[in-house]
């Protein structure tokens, strides 16, 4: 079974700084997808960014980008020019590219952006 | 943008009572999911549903749980006899296909409190 590990329970940075959240995963398969979800205090799950394992190019969405290292099974999230509204729990998640399997989530990183 | 709608947003129930959590997936989506998040913990997959039957389920999804698509639009999760440890946020999600492209959309969740 696949596992997702987020080794940073909490991080705190100043507004406008850049922060990187780490995620590693373990799988023996080749076709899968990786995600970062944001969960603000409202507890809604908001998709931040998605990466297909077959793509070598790192995904980017505005201030959010990933560093996907397939051989190392690493998938870190970089937030540039951090804003107060980025304060939230961030979950890394994994899913196989088949059928109706569910997402496997990491335990999350609580990111705090300080004014 | 289409949304997955969950009702109620918060439900309080007595231990041993039955509860039904409701979800309206995005209309052209075909795969439906339930996830659970106990407070302070990671999000966990419960069950996936396709073509009016369960596709996959986790070990959490025991005989106390059942899912149904009673009328072609709603997707429900029933807990037959609630326990204190069932207190959690329950998220519904849907996808158009059994793959993650174009997207895996979560509802805003139902907070279940068992007293």
């Amino acid at each position: 079974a696949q596992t997702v590990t987020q080794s940073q329970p909490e991080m705190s940075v100043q507004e406008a700084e850049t922060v990187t959240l780490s995620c590693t995963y373990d799988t023996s398969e080749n076709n899968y997808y990786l995600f970062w979800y944001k969960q603000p205090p409202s507890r809604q799950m908001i998709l931040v960014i998605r990466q297909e394992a077959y793509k070598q190019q790192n995904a980017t969405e505005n201030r959010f980008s990933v560093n996907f290292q397939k051989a190392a099974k690493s998938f870190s999230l970089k937030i540039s020019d951090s804003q107060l509204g980025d304060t939230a729990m961030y979950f890394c998640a994994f899913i196989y590219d088949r059928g109706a399997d569910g997402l496997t989530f990491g335990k999350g990183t609580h990111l705090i952006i300080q004014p | 943008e289409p949304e997955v709608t969950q009702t109620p947003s918060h439900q309080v129930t007595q231990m041993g009572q039955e509860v039904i959590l409701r979800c309206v997936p995005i209309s052209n989506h075909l795969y439906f999911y339930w996830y659970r998040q106990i407070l302070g913990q990671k999000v966990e997959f419960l069950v996936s549903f396709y073509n009016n039957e369960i596709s996959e389920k986790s070990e959490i999804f025991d005989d106390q749980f059942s899912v149904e698509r009673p009328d072609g639009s709603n997707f429900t999760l029933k807990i037959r006899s609630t326990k204190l440890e069932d207190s959690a946020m329950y998220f519904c999600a849907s996808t158009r296909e059994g793959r993650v492209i174009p997207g895996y959309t979560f509802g805003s969740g139902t907070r279940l409190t068992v007293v």
Side-chain angles (χ1 to χ4, degrees):
Chain A
Q2 68 279 7
T3 58
V4 177
T5 302
Q6 293 179 250
S7 59
Q8 304 148 313
E10 185 170 289
M11 296 186 71
S12 180
V13 299
Q14 295 292 120
E15 192 176 6
E17 290 184 347
T18 294
V19 60
T20 299
L21 309 183
S22 66
C23 172
T24 59
Y25 58 95
D26 188 22
T27 181
S28 57
E29 299 202 14
N30 210 36
N31 297 321
Y32 51 88
Y33 296 82
L34 294 159
F35 302 82
W36 280 98
Y37 279 91
K38 172 184 177 181
Q39 187 179 45
S42 66
R43 299 192 73 182
Q44 185 165 2
M45 296 295 288
I46 301 167
L47 177 64
V48 174
I49 200 164
R50 171 178 60 222
Q51 175 80 43
E52 293 90 339
Y54 62 86
K55 289 187 177 178
Q56 292 186 340
Q57 187 173 6
N58 289 323
T60 299
E61 288 286 340
N62 301 313
R63 297 184 295 108
F64 299 87
S65 61
V66 298
N67 183 5
F68 174 48
Q69 302 288 329
K70 190 172 184 180
K73 297 179 183 174
S74 170
F75 182 61
S76 60
L77 174 69
K78 186 171 83 171
I79 305 173
S80 304
D81 185 26
S82 56
Q83 300 172 0
L84 297 179
D86 295 333
T87 294
M89 285 292 292
Y90 286 82
F91 291 96
C92 180
F94 170 106
I95 193 168
Y96 289 117
D97 180 19
R98 64 164 187 254
D101 290 13
L103 289 160
T104 299
F105 286 86
K107 291 186 176 181
T109 295
H110 185 206
L111 176 64
I112 300 168
I113 309 299
Q114 305 276 9
Chain B
E1 188 169 328
E3 291 184 344
V4 175
T5 305
Q6 289 187 244
T7 55
S9 58
H10 189 192
Q11 181 155 358
V12 182
T13 189
Q14 296 256 337
M15 189 170 57
Q17 294 294 306
E18 174 183 285
V19 295
I20 297 176
L21 309 183
R22 291 182 168 79
C23 169
V24 179
I26 293 173
S27 62
N28 63 350
H29 283 192
L30 301 176
Y31 285 79
F32 315 113
Y33 308 81
W34 283 102
Y35 288 80
R36 179 183 81 176
Q37 185 184 30
I38 295 171
L39 184 63
Q41 299 187 23
K42 66 179 178 180
V43 180
E44 300 172 294
F45 169 71
L46 291 177
V47 65
S48 61
F49 190 85
Y50 170 73
N51 200 25
N52 285 321
E53 60 183 23
I54 290 174
S55 297
E56 300 281 345
K57 60 182 181 179
S58 71
E59 61 272 15
I60 302 169
F61 194 86
D62 61 22
D63 293 343
Q64 292 292 327
F65 293 92
S66 63
V67 290
E68 193 175 41
R69 193 140 193 259
D71 56 13
S73 62
N74 290 286
F75 177 52
T76 61
L77 174 69
K78 181 192 292 185
I79 308 175
R80 287 190 183 81
S81 177
T82 49
K83 303 186 282 286
L84 294 177
E85 54 265 38
D86 293 327
S87 294
M89 282 288 285
Y90 288 82
F91 293 100
C92 176
S94 68
T95 60
R96 192 174 69 191
E97 301 172 353
R99 294 175 10 216
V100 298
I101 294 174
Y104 197 108
T105 307
F106 281 90
S108 56
T110 294
R111 180 174 299 187
L112 177 66
T113 303
V114 182
V115 297

